[in-house]
Amino acid sequence: MKKLSILPHVAVTTALAFAGSVAQGDEVKGNAAAGNAKVWLCIGCHSIPGYRADYPMTYKVPMLGGQNAAYISSALAAYKNGERKHPTMRSIAASLSDQDMADLGEYYAAQTASSPNNPLK
């Protein structure tokens, strides 16, 4: 019968626990007020009711007020890393930091579907 060493199992468990705590420590917290200063990137399309973008195909552009903050942030990250393919959104998202995405998510989550999506009015 072979003796199994517990040392490799302890090392792997410790490494996984440390990696999990680092990932949680890096979580970005969004700020709606900070998002208000960054929303100018979005209002050109997302503040026009019924707007449709037509490059490279016709897309119905959604109004974002009241949307879940985490959803907006993750959607922007998906555009940035290429999981979502719209070329305009991808180029805009490429310029955003994780903090910017979280701030924009919180800004739109603080709105309602009927609130003005254009803070510059």
Side-chain angles (χ1 to χ4, degrees):
M1 188 162 161
K2 272 183 151 177
K3 275 186 154 181
L4 295 176
S5 173
I6 194 165
L7 187 57
H9 299 290
V10 171
V12 168
T13 303
T14 302
L16 290 174
F18 178 73
S21 68
V22 169
Q24 289 177 353
D26 289 343
E27 185 177 325
V28 178
K29 302 286 186 202
N31 179 299
N36 185 51
K38 299 170 185 175
V39 77
W40 63 269
L41 291 165
C42 313
I43 60 176
C45 296
H46 291 284
S47 67
I48 303 169
Y51 183 67
R52 295 181 186 277
D54 61 3
Y55 179 81
M57 299 171 25
T58 301
Y59 293 91
K60 182 177 185 264
V61 178
M63 301 295 282
L64 298 177
Q67 184 61 265
N68 179 281
Y71 175 80
I72 289 176
S73 185
S74 67
L76 288 168
Y79 283 116
K80 185 174 184 171
N81 70 27
E83 290 174 34
R84 289 189 174 200
K85 304 294 183 194
H86 191 275
T88 303
M89 284 301 303
R90 185 160 188 200
S91 65
I92 290 170
S95 72
L96 299 174
S97 68
D98 290 345
Q99 185 65 58
D100 293 334
M101 292 183 233
D103 292 344
L104 289 167
E106 288 298 329
Y107 171 81
Y108 277 111
Q111 306 300 307
T112 64
S114 62
S115 65
N117 286 300
N118 184 348
L120 305 176
K121 286 184 179 178

PDB file of all heavy atoms in Angstrom, residues 2-28:
ATOM      1  N   LYS A   2       0.558   2.204  -0.885  1.00  0.00           N
ATOM      2  CA  LYS A   2       1.328   3.441  -1.004  1.00  0.00           C
ATOM      3  C   LYS A   2       0.879   4.446   0.020  1.00  0.00           C
ATOM      4  O   LYS A   2      -0.295   4.591   0.295  1.00  0.00           O
ATOM      5  CB  LYS A   2       1.130   4.048  -2.389  1.00  0.00           C
ATOM      6  CG  LYS A   2       2.048   3.588  -3.416  1.00  0.00           C
ATOM      7  CD  LYS A   2       1.727   4.362  -4.670  1.00  0.00           C
ATOM      8  CE  LYS A   2       2.925   4.530  -5.531  1.00  0.00           C
ATOM      9  NZ  LYS A   2       2.630   5.205  -6.766  1.00  0.00           N
ATOM     10  N   LYS A   3       1.844   5.191   0.541  1.00  0.00           N
ATOM     11  CA  LYS A   3       1.518   6.297   1.437  1.00  0.00           C
ATOM     12  C   LYS A   3       1.297   7.534   0.590  1.00  0.00           C
ATOM     13  O   LYS A   3       2.094   7.856  -0.279  1.00  0.00           O
ATOM     14  CB  LYS A   3       2.671   6.568   2.386  1.00  0.00           C
ATOM     15  CG  LYS A   3       2.680   5.735   3.607  1.00  0.00           C
ATOM     16  CD  LYS A   3       3.787   6.233   4.499  1.00  0.00           C
ATOM     17  CE  LYS A   3       3.513   5.923   5.928  1.00  0.00           C
ATOM     18  NZ  LYS A   3       4.541   6.400   6.813  1.00  0.00           N
ATOM     19  N   LEU A   4       0.212   8.225   0.805  1.00  0.00           N
ATOM     20  CA  LEU A   4      -0.076   9.461   0.096  1.00  0.00           C
ATOM     21  C   LEU A   4       0.346  10.649   0.956  1.00  0.00           C
ATOM     22  O   LEU A   4       0.030  10.705   2.137  1.00  0.00           O
ATOM     23  CB  LEU A   4      -1.561   9.575  -0.231  1.00  0.00           C
ATOM     24  CG  LEU A   4      -2.115   8.548  -1.195  1.00  0.00           C
ATOM     25  CD1 LEU A   4      -3.613   8.737  -1.340  1.00  0.00           C
ATOM     26  CD2 LEU A   4      -1.444   8.680  -2.547  1.00  0.00           C
ATOM     27  N   SER A   5       1.025  11.548   0.343  1.00  0.00           N
ATOM     28  CA  SER A   5       1.440  12.749   1.061  1.00  0.00           C
ATOM     29  C   SER A   5       0.302  13.773   1.027  1.00  0.00           C
ATOM     30  O   SER A   5      -0.315  14.009  -0.005  1.00  0.00           O
ATOM     31  CB  SER A   5       2.683  13.349   0.406  1.00  0.00           C
ATOM     32  OG  SER A   5       2.974  14.579   0.994  1.00  0.00           O
ATOM     33  N   ILE A   6       0.034  14.376   2.139  1.00  0.00           N
ATOM     34  CA  ILE A   6      -1.014  15.388   2.218  1.00  0.00           C
ATOM     35  C   ILE A   6      -0.498  16.767   1.816  1.00  0.00           C
ATOM     36  O   ILE A   6      -1.265  17.666   1.503  1.00  0.00           O
ATOM     37  CB  ILE A   6      -1.622  15.413   3.642  1.00  0.00           C
ATOM     38  CG1 ILE A   6      -2.926  16.199   3.614  1.00  0.00           C
ATOM     39  CG2 ILE A   6      -0.647  16.006   4.633  1.00  0.00           C
ATOM     40  CD1 ILE A   6      -3.780  15.993   4.813  1.00  0.00           C
ATOM     41  N   LEU A   7       0.817  16.931   1.778  1.00  0.00           N
ATOM     42  CA  LEU A   7       1.416  18.223   1.476  1.00  0.00           C
ATOM     43  C   LEU A   7       0.947  18.826   0.150  1.00  0.00           C
ATOM     44  O   LEU A   7       0.563  19.994   0.113  1.00  0.00           O
ATOM     45  CB  LEU A   7       2.944  18.131   1.522  1.00  0.00           C
ATOM     46  CG  LEU A   7       3.699  19.449   1.390  1.00  0.00           C
ATOM     47  CD1 LEU A   7       3.276  20.428   2.475  1.00  0.00           C
ATOM     48  CD2 LEU A   7       5.192  19.217   1.430  1.00  0.00           C
ATOM     49  N   PRO A   8       0.927  18.084  -0.972  1.00  0.00           N
ATOM     50  CA  PRO A   8       0.447  18.694  -2.221  1.00  0.00           C
ATOM     51  C   PRO A   8      -1.002  19.163  -2.123  1.00  0.00           C
ATOM     52  O   PRO A   8      -1.368  20.197  -2.675  1.00  0.00           O
ATOM     53  CB  PRO A   8       0.601  17.589  -3.260  1.00  0.00           C
ATOM     54  CG  PRO A   8       1.607  16.652  -2.696  1.00  0.00           C
ATOM     55  CD  PRO A   8       1.449  16.742  -1.204  1.00  0.00           C
ATOM     56  N   HIS A   9      -1.830  18.432  -1.417  1.00  0.00           N
ATOM     57  CA  HIS A   9      -3.242  18.804  -1.270  1.00  0.00           C
ATOM     58  C   HIS A   9      -3.385  20.086  -0.456  1.00  0.00           C
ATOM     59  O   HIS A   9      -4.199  20.956  -0.787  1.00  0.00           O
ATOM     60  CB  HIS A   9      -4.037  17.666  -0.617  1.00  0.00           C
ATOM     61  CG  HIS A   9      -4.020  16.399  -1.402  1.00  0.00           C
ATOM     62  ND1 HIS A   9      -4.681  16.271  -2.596  1.00  0.00           N
ATOM     63  CD2 HIS A   9      -3.391  15.215  -1.184  1.00  0.00           C
ATOM     64  CE1 HIS A   9      -4.487  15.064  -3.082  1.00  0.00           C
ATOM     65  NE2 HIS A   9      -3.693  14.402  -2.237  1.00  0.00           N
ATOM     66  N   VAL A  10      -2.586  20.223   0.584  1.00  0.00           N
ATOM     67  CA  VAL A  10      -2.619  21.429   1.406  1.00  0.00           C
ATOM     68  C   VAL A  10      -2.137  22.629   0.591  1.00  0.00           C
ATOM     69  O   VAL A  10      -2.725  23.715   0.646  1.00  0.00           O
ATOM     70  CB  VAL A  10      -1.769  21.249   2.689  1.00  0.00           C
ATOM     71  CG1 VAL A  10      -1.610  22.568   3.431  1.00  0.00           C
ATOM     72  CG2 VAL A  10      -2.381  20.193   3.585  1.00  0.00           C
ATOM     73  N   ALA A  11      -1.091  22.430  -0.196  1.00  0.00           N
ATOM     74  CA  ALA A  11      -0.553  23.523  -1.010  1.00  0.00           C
ATOM     75  C   ALA A  11      -1.589  23.998  -2.033  1.00  0.00           C
ATOM     76  O   ALA A  11      -1.780  25.204  -2.226  1.00  0.00           O
ATOM     77  CB  ALA A  11       0.726  23.082  -1.717  1.00  0.00           C
ATOM     78  N   VAL A  12      -2.256  23.075  -2.688  1.00  0.00           N
ATOM     79  CA  VAL A  12      -3.269  23.438  -3.684  1.00  0.00           C
ATOM     80  C   VAL A  12      -4.436  24.151  -3.014  1.00  0.00           C
ATOM     81  O   VAL A  12      -4.907  25.185  -3.494  1.00  0.00           O
ATOM     82  CB  VAL A  12      -3.753  22.188  -4.462  1.00  0.00           C
ATOM     83  CG1 VAL A  12      -4.990  22.498  -5.274  1.00  0.00           C
ATOM     84  CG2 VAL A  12      -2.637  21.662  -5.343  1.00  0.00           C
ATOM     85  N   THR A  13      -4.897  23.647  -1.899  1.00  0.00           N
ATOM     86  CA  THR A  13      -6.012  24.261  -1.181  1.00  0.00           C
ATOM     87  C   THR A  13      -5.655  25.675  -0.725  1.00  0.00           C
ATOM     88  O   THR A  13      -6.445  26.608  -0.866  1.00  0.00           O
ATOM     89  CB  THR A  13      -6.409  23.398   0.037  1.00  0.00           C
ATOM     90  OG1 THR A  13      -6.732  22.098  -0.419  1.00  0.00           O
ATOM     91  CG2 THR A  13      -7.587  23.997   0.778  1.00  0.00           C
ATOM     92  N   THR A  14      -4.455  25.853  -0.216  1.00  0.00           N
ATOM     93  CA  THR A  14      -4.009  27.169   0.225  1.00  0.00           C
ATOM     94  C   THR A  14      -3.928  28.141  -0.945  1.00  0.00           C
ATOM     95  O   THR A  14      -4.366  29.286  -0.850  1.00  0.00           O
ATOM     96  CB  THR A  14      -2.634  27.069   0.919  1.00  0.00           C
ATOM     97  OG1 THR A  14      -2.749  26.164   2.023  1.00  0.00           O
ATOM     98  CG2 THR A  14      -2.162  28.418   1.417  1.00  0.00           C
ATOM     99  N   ALA A  15      -3.374  27.680  -2.059  1.00  0.00           N
ATOM    100  CA  ALA A  15      -3.262  28.539  -3.244  1.00  0.00           C
ATOM    101  C   ALA A  15      -4.636  28.958  -3.753  1.00  0.00           C
ATOM    102  O   ALA A  15      -4.847  30.118  -4.112  1.00  0.00           O
ATOM    103  CB  ALA A  15      -2.488  27.819  -4.342  1.00  0.00           C
ATOM    104  N   LEU A  16      -5.587  28.041  -3.787  1.00  0.00           N
ATOM    105  CA  LEU A  16      -6.943  28.369  -4.242  1.00  0.00           C
ATOM    106  C   LEU A  16      -7.629  29.344  -3.290  1.00  0.00           C
ATOM    107  O   LEU A  16      -8.309  30.272  -3.727  1.00  0.00           O
ATOM    108  CB  LEU A  16      -7.775  27.101  -4.409  1.00  0.00           C
ATOM    109  CG  LEU A  16      -7.373  26.201  -5.569  1.00  0.00           C
ATOM    110  CD1 LEU A  16      -8.170  24.907  -5.528  1.00  0.00           C
ATOM    111  CD2 LEU A  16      -7.564  26.897  -6.899  1.00  0.00           C
ATOM    112  N   ALA A  17      -7.449  29.153  -2.009  1.00  0.00           N
ATOM    113  CA  ALA A  17      -8.054  30.073  -1.034  1.00  0.00           C
ATOM    114  C   ALA A  17      -7.463  31.468  -1.180  1.00  0.00           C
ATOM    115  O   ALA A  17      -8.180  32.471  -1.142  1.00  0.00           O
ATOM    116  CB  ALA A  17      -7.836  29.548   0.384  1.00  0.00           C
ATOM    117  N   PHE A  18      -6.147  31.553  -1.377  1.00  0.00           N
ATOM    118  CA  PHE A  18      -5.498  32.848  -1.557  1.00  0.00           C
ATOM    119  C   PHE A  18      -5.982  33.521  -2.840  1.00  0.00           C
ATOM    120  O   PHE A  18      -6.293  34.703  -2.848  1.00  0.00           O
ATOM    121  CB  PHE A  18      -3.977  32.683  -1.587  1.00  0.00           C
ATOM    122  CG  PHE A  18      -3.250  33.973  -1.822  1.00  0.00           C
ATOM    123  CD1 PHE A  18      -3.176  34.933  -0.822  1.00  0.00           C
ATOM    124  CD2 PHE A  18      -2.667  34.250  -3.045  1.00  0.00           C
ATOM    125  CE1 PHE A  18      -2.522  36.131  -1.031  1.00  0.00           C
ATOM    126  CE2 PHE A  18      -2.012  35.441  -3.268  1.00  0.00           C
ATOM    127  CZ  PHE A  18      -1.932  36.384  -2.262  1.00  0.00           C
ATOM    128  N   ALA A  19      -6.077  32.763  -3.919  1.00  0.00           N
ATOM    129  CA  ALA A  19      -6.541  33.323  -5.201  1.00  0.00           C
ATOM    130  C   ALA A  19      -7.963  33.852  -5.067  1.00  0.00           C
ATOM    131  O   ALA A  19      -8.296  34.912  -5.590  1.00  0.00           O
ATOM    132  CB  ALA A  19      -6.465  32.282  -6.303  1.00  0.00           C
ATOM    133  N   GLY A  20      -8.818  33.147  -4.350  1.00  0.00           N
ATOM    134  CA  GLY A  20     -10.189  33.601  -4.145  1.00  0.00           C
ATOM    135  C   GLY A  20     -10.257  34.881  -3.340  1.00  0.00           C
ATOM    136  O   GLY A  20     -11.025  35.788  -3.647  1.00  0.00           O
ATOM    137  N   SER A  21      -9.404  35.011  -2.331  1.00  0.00           N
ATOM    138  CA  SER A  21      -9.430  36.229  -1.524  1.00  0.00           C
ATOM    139  C   SER A  21      -8.869  37.415  -2.300  1.00  0.00           C
ATOM    140  O   SER A  21      -9.325  38.536  -2.150  1.00  0.00           O
ATOM    141  CB  SER A  21      -8.667  36.036  -0.213  1.00  0.00           C
ATOM    142  OG  SER A  21      -7.279  35.894  -0.462  1.00  0.00           O
ATOM    143  N   VAL A  22      -7.890  37.181  -3.174  1.00  0.00           N
ATOM    144  CA  VAL A  22      -7.348  38.256  -3.999  1.00  0.00           C
ATOM    145  C   VAL A  22      -8.404  38.730  -4.987  1.00  0.00           C
ATOM    146  O   VAL A  22      -8.599  39.916  -5.188  1.00  0.00           O
ATOM    147  CB  VAL A  22      -6.064  37.801  -4.737  1.00  0.00           C
ATOM    148  CG1 VAL A  22      -5.662  38.802  -5.793  1.00  0.00           C
ATOM    149  CG2 VAL A  22      -4.942  37.596  -3.738  1.00  0.00           C
ATOM    150  N   ALA A  23      -9.126  37.801  -5.604  1.00  0.00           N
ATOM    151  CA  ALA A  23     -10.165  38.171  -6.568  1.00  0.00           C
ATOM    152  C   ALA A  23     -11.255  38.996  -5.887  1.00  0.00           C
ATOM    153  O   ALA A  23     -11.752  39.965  -6.451  1.00  0.00           O
ATOM    154  CB  ALA A  23     -10.763  36.928  -7.221  1.00  0.00           C
ATOM    155  N   GLN A  24     -11.644  38.622  -4.667  1.00  0.00           N
ATOM    156  CA  GLN A  24     -12.664  39.380  -3.967  1.00  0.00           C
ATOM    157  C   GLN A  24     -12.145  40.756  -3.569  1.00  0.00           C
ATOM    158  O   GLN A  24     -12.878  41.733  -3.590  1.00  0.00           O
ATOM    159  CB  GLN A  24     -13.127  38.625  -2.719  1.00  0.00           C
ATOM    160  CG  GLN A  24     -13.952  37.414  -3.056  1.00  0.00           C
ATOM    161  CD  GLN A  24     -14.340  36.631  -1.819  1.00  0.00           C
ATOM    162  OE1 GLN A  24     -13.893  36.905  -0.724  1.00  0.00           O
ATOM    163  NE2 GLN A  24     -15.176  35.625  -2.010  1.00  0.00           N
ATOM    164  N   GLY A  25     -10.877  40.865  -3.221  1.00  0.00           N
ATOM    165  CA  GLY A  25     -10.295  42.138  -2.832  1.00  0.00           C
ATOM    166  C   GLY A  25     -10.192  43.114  -3.997  1.00  0.00           C
ATOM    167  O   GLY A  25     -10.162  44.311  -3.800  1.00  0.00           O
ATOM    168  N   ASP A  26     -10.143  42.604  -5.221  1.00  0.00           N
ATOM    169  CA  ASP A  26     -10.013  43.438  -6.402  1.00  0.00           C
ATOM    170  C   ASP A  26     -11.355  43.887  -6.970  1.00  0.00           C
ATOM    171  O   ASP A  26     -11.389  44.558  -7.985  1.00  0.00           O
ATOM    172  CB  ASP A  26      -9.243  42.690  -7.507  1.00  0.00           C
ATOM    173  CG  ASP A  26      -7.771  42.540  -7.171  1.00  0.00           C
ATOM    174  OD1 ASP A  26      -7.288  43.256  -6.280  1.00  0.00           O
ATOM    175  OD2 ASP A  26      -7.103  41.709  -7.810  1.00  0.00           O
ATOM    176  N   GLU A  27     -12.452  43.502  -6.328  1.00  0.00           N
ATOM    177  CA  GLU A  27     -13.770  43.864  -6.830  1.00  0.00           C
ATOM    178  C   GLU A  27     -13.913  45.381  -6.874  1.00  0.00           C
ATOM    179  O   GLU A  27     -13.614  46.080  -5.921  1.00  0.00           O
ATOM    180  CB  GLU A  27     -14.852  43.262  -5.937  1.00  0.00           C
ATOM    181  CG  GLU A  27     -16.240  43.479  -6.457  1.00  0.00           C
ATOM    182  CD  GLU A  27     -17.283  42.804  -5.584  1.00  0.00           C
ATOM    183  OE1 GLU A  27     -17.006  41.734  -5.042  1.00  0.00           O
ATOM    184  OE2 GLU A  27     -18.369  43.381  -5.449  1.00  0.00           O
ATOM    185  N   VAL A  28     -14.361  45.870  -8.020  1.00  0.00           N
ATOM    186  CA  VAL A  28     -14.493  47.309  -8.223  1.00  0.00           C
ATOM    187  C   VAL A  28     -15.899  47.734  -7.814  1.00  0.00           C
ATOM    188  O   VAL A  28     -16.879  47.120  -8.213  1.00  0.00           O
ATOM    189  CB  VAL A  28     -14.238  47.655  -9.705  1.00  0.00           C
ATOM    190  CG1 VAL A  28     -14.426  49.135  -9.954  1.00  0.00           C
ATOM    191  CG2 VAL A  28     -12.852  47.213 -10.123  1.00  0.00           C
TER     192      VAL A  28
END
